[in-house]
Amino acid sequence: MKLLKTYTLRPMACLLGAMIGLLATTAHAEIVQIEVALQEGGEGPAVFDKIARDFEAEHPNIKVHIEADPRIADKLRMRILEKNFPEITNGDIGARHLIPHGDLLPLDNALQDSAYEGDGPKTDTKTWRDTFLPGTLGRYTVEGKTYAVPLSYYVQSVWFNKRLFAHHGWETPRTWDELFALCESMQAAGVTPFAFQGRYPYYARIFLDGAYYQLAGPAAFDAQKRLEPGTFDNPQMVQALTWTQTLATKYFQAGAMGMGHTEAQLQFFLGHTAMIPCGSWLKSEMAGKIPSDFELGTFNLPSVAGGRGDPNALQAFSGYYSVFSHSKHPAEAVEFLRYLTSKKVAAYFCRANDLPVAIRDVNETGLSPELSDLAALIKNSTAGYGEGPSDTVPAMGPHFDDVLLELLNGRVAPAAAAKQLEAFSTSEQWAAAHPDDLPRRHLLKPIIFLALILGAGAFAMSDTLRRQRPRSGGRAGPALRTLPLRAAMLFAGPATVLFAVFMLVPSVQSFGWSLLEWDGLTDATFVGLRHFRDLLFNTDVFWTALTNNLFIMFVIPLFLTPLSLFLAACVSRGIRGTRLFRSAFLLPSVMGGVATTLLWMNLYDPQAGVINPALVAVGHAFSAVGLSGIGHWFGGFAGYAWLSQDHLYTAIVPMSVWAGFGFNFILYVAAMQGVPAELYEAADLDGATPWQQFHMITLPMIWDVLTVSVVFLVIGGMKAFEAIWLLTNQSPGSAVHVVGTLVLTRFTQMKVGESTAIAVLLFAVVMVASLAAMRGMRREAVEG
């Protein structure tokens, strides 16, 4: 019995010991999870998912959670406020705002450590810092500390049609003089030199920054980033502006200023132009649209004979990854970044996306043969530059783009453009140093504006009180309070609660934010009504945006309402094909704003759209019957840039009328069908004409519906956003902003207080415009 107990207990003890050892081992090898918040772009999340799984296989105690989202920056701002940090991100979160507060981890100790080779232990042959291409670590190096590392590498260069060059015997230019000579040769051969993405003027900075760097040198280029005095108004900058303007006015394709990147790039790949300026994403972005026999080449931006820049320097920028210092596992996050930027993983990333990376000795073998020229440029580069003043000082961005737009259209001389940029630079620096002492640029406009707002509020209150007073018969006007309280709460209570939670509370909170100076990431500072004062008295772009809203609010209804009324009257009187007309007219409203905008973008394409050829054909028809003057005018629409920022609002009118017509048409048809037929029969017996019947019967009977539709149009005009935002590729210039796009632009510039102040002013304008429309329509109804 004793022996049996011994043999029974001995295995149990061994099993218990094994379990304790297993638990100890598990506790020792605790699983760590790191979170990587990615800005989802052309690379796609699948590539990063595979990289994460491969990393986990090499590091069993680390799990990597990838969250990819195109709007990851917006999500991260809220998480940063809550101090709920992920480990890693490449989102545009305003890193320069976070660095002074210690929210990003300096990576210098890790960069000085040996490089990560991926398939084995770390090697002592070179440091992690040495694996990156020249100049790529500088963007987020502050006071000698590096806070982010790059992976993707986007080179700005000139792409060209190799087959076309070979056919004509053209050589790739090395200097600006050679480039201009090449363009002249192309035009002599009947070939358009450049396609250009003119709806986005900042693409011209590829030429401008390249020329200024080569003329003035890296030290002057860096000084311009910091907005140092004299770095804009100088001979080198004037020369760079001159060359850029010459390219735009003489060698860009007709209608280029109305083309987006896709339209311009298609013109290039279809052989309609010989060259295009673009980043290294050109091939991957246009995948599936490039003809199979197209031979793609690229060359570096021209150098300058006797210039101060490095001829082998590349204009480039990178996608950067940072580690949050207050995240749960920053050490493991750094290890993942070492793996992500290792030669083996970077080579996989390069092959999978056919995009260059910022890692040495990878692009030569990782890029496809079609990008061999690009790989050679990167291999031979000895320096890099890429950021301009509008990158390091975001407030300069709108000014820079405005001046570029004027320059590209030939409306400003290069010397004057340089002086404007210098003045903008000085004013931005002064404004940053003296936010409470900005000069007053407007006086009469804000006085009228405030008077209208306050007057409308007072009128609305007095009118409401007047309408609630007892009438002559002693009866009170109709009011909700005549209902028993319990019934009133039953009917109005749920809607009131929902309205308060989802509308009223956020609106009040937004007003509170408008009183703060806040970047959305760090602590806010109370500034009172300063944002309202600056917007109304100092900010030109606010008044420009408000003017554009007023244009949409008045001009579009001026065309849309009469057209909708006329066709609704025709259909309601029983013409043939009524059902077909209803369906056809309603279709644009069903499509939605985004789909409508994309459709009209294609119709307005200067080279491939149908509107310009149709107008030119009309001109030919007039010329054929002897009306050569009218025919010549219509012929001027060949290559017309409808969607350039100069013509944008002209183009919006037919697009908006077409999109909004269906809803108003159906609304009016439904109202007209409610008019008693006996009234029209009596009018016929009295000999009334159709116009008299419409004016004396139809219009008064549908007046309430017409009032509602006008109010909707007024509100829609003040809330205009998506069409402008899409047609300008989310970068509207100062001349084409509406108030809605200005709100979002200021928010993305980390100006939360100013952004919400604009939103509050927009609410006030919508309220005044709506009250004016309803009161005006009511008065006209009484008079009619």
Side-chain angles (χ1 to χ4, degrees), residues 66-79:
I66 302 289
E67 181 185 1
D69 193 312
R71 308 287 298 180
I72 197 67
D74 296 334
K75 293 183 177 181
L76 283 177
R77 289 189 183 100
M78 297 305 299
R79 293 186 59 176

Side-chain angles (χ1 to χ4, degrees), residues 89-163:
T89 187
N90 68 339
D92 185 10
I93 53 170
R96 296 183 184 278
H97 294 261
L98 296 173
I99 289 172
H101 295 270
D103 291 323
L104 296 185
L105 182 71
L107 302 173
D108 300 273
N109 291 336
L111 286 167
Q112 292 306 116
D113 201 353
S114 56
Y116 189 102
E117 295 301 333
D119 53 356
K122 300 170 185 176
T123 176
D124 296 327
T125 57
K126 56 184 176 181
T127 65
W128 186 23
R129 184 185 297 273
D130 294 332
T131 63
F132 295 100
L133 291 174
T136 55
L137 290 175
R139 179 169 185 176
Y140 291 110
T141 297
V142 179
E143 297 181 354
K145 294 183 179 180
T146 303
Y147 292 89
V149 293
L151 177 59
S152 51
Y153 190 61
Y154 304 110
V155 178
Q156 309 274 29
S157 59
V158 178
W159 299 82
F160 68 97
N161 186 331
K162 277 189 172 182
R163 178 167 295 185

Side-chain angles (χ1 to χ4, degrees), residues 389-390 392-400 428 749 751:
S390 59
T392 51
V393 184
M396 271 297 290
H399 301 311
F400 220 111
E428 285 297 336
Q749 293 174 349
K751 299 179 179 180

Side-chain angles (χ1 to χ4, degrees), residues 60 162 231 274 290 305 307 415 432 479 497 579 598 635 638:
K162 277 189 172 182
T231 53
I290 304 174
V497 170
R579 293 182 180 178
L598 295 176

Side-chain angles (χ1 to χ4, degrees), residues 488-556:
M489 292 298 296
L490 179 64
F491 283 109
T496 303
V497 170
L498 291 174
F499 178 80
V501 171
F502 293 105
M503 295 294 293
L504 190 59
V505 172
S507 298
V508 173
Q509 188 177 30
S510 296
F511 181 78
W513 286 351
S514 70
L515 306 178
L516 305 175
E517 182 69 42
W518 187 34
D519 59 13
L521 298 174
T522 56
D523 295 335
T525 304
F526 181 78
V527 295
L529 298 175
R530 191 178 78 190
H531 294 310
F532 295 97
R533 180 202 64 193
D534 292 345
L535 287 168
L536 294 174
F537 291 91
N538 307 327
T539 308
D540 293 336
V541 68
F542 171 76
W543 291 107
T544 301
L546 185 59
T547 301
N548 290 334
N549 277 107
L550 293 175
F551 174 88
I552 295 174
M553 187 174 73
F554 287 113
V555 174
I556 292 175

